[in-house]
Amino acid sequence: DKTFTCTLFMPFEEFEKITTGDEVIEFFQKYFPDAIPLIGADALERDYFRLPAQAMVSVKCSPYHIGDKCVLMGDAAHAVVPFYGQGMNAGFEDCIVFDEIMNQFNEDFSAVLPEYTRVRVPDDHAIADLAMYNYVEVIQFNLYFIFSGMLRSRCFGF
């Protein structure tokens, strides 16, 4: 539909410094000038303030069940930061694994739910860890290129 989504990752203090539409445009002119014509200045000014800055969280819990009556899946059981791109896939996999275990134990929830917890918790905790490790790697990778770019520009004049 020719619209854009913009997600900014920065410290809360930086978000708090931007309090007006003009400051939003100044921020984007400084850091993301090519985004302004794509998104539009009016949309940036309007949309920036629609949703407040929020913390990114990971959820690691165990067990994923209560007795034979309740089971957690997807983000309710294992929300992950978005830096690995596998959170939704892990939720879909929860459904597949749950279905397989349901078949294996003839839909006996007293057996299915503990087995589901036993099988899924290690994998889901691993995907949460991988997402955080990938975040650290992305930051280090970007810092390397920022730093090396600064050195090249000083040494070679471009």
Side-chain angles (χ1 to χ4, degrees):
D1 66 358
K2 299 182 182 177
T3 60
F4 288 87
T5 298
C6 177
T7 304
L8 295 174
F9 297 100
M10 61 185 178
F12 282 108
E13 302 83 43
E14 296 301 315
F15 281 106
E16 292 166 2
K17 291 177 184 177
I18 302 171
T19 59
T20 68
D22 288 341
E23 290 172 341
V24 171
I25 299 305
E26 288 173 22
F27 175 84
F28 273 82
Q29 284 173 336
K30 181 175 181 179
Y31 296 105
F32 310 105
D34 55 337
I36 297 170
L38 295 171
I39 299 172
D42 292 339
L44 279 172
E45 288 182 32
R46 180 187 66 239
D47 293 345
Y48 181 86
F49 298 103
R50 281 193 173 165
L51 184 65
Q54 300 175 10
M56 290 181 289
V57 298
S58 286
V59 172
K60 286 182 175 179
C61 69
S62 183
Y64 285 176
H65 70 286
I66 299 173
D68 63 354
K69 303 289 185 215
C70 179
V71 65
L72 298 176
M73 293 184 183
D75 283 354
H78 52 80
V80 297
V81 295
F83 305 110
Y84 201 59
Q86 294 300 313
M88 186 177 287
N89 288 337
F92 290 147
E93 187 175 35
D94 287 346
C95 298
I96 291 167
V97 170
F98 188 79
D99 184 59
E100 291 169 352
I101 294 171
M102 286 278 287
N103 291 331
Q104 179 184 354
F105 289 94
N106 297 315
E107 300 184 17
D108 175 4
F109 285 109
S110 65
V112 169
L113 300 189
E115 180 66 3
Y116 172 76
T117 288
R118 186 189 71 76
V119 169
R120 288 306 291 158
V121 166
D123 290 347
D124 290 336
H125 286 193
I127 201 70
D129 292 340
L130 286 169
M132 281 307 294
Y133 298 151
N134 196 54
Y135 169 68
V136 171
E137 186 153 328
V138 166
I139 294 299
Q140 290 171 344
F141 179 79
N142 285 329
L143 288 176
Y144 168 78
F145 278 102
I146 290 168
F147 181 69
S148 64
M150 288 176 8
L151 288 177
R152 275 193 302 259
S153 66
R154 289 189 181 149
C155 295
F156 302 106
F158 57 83

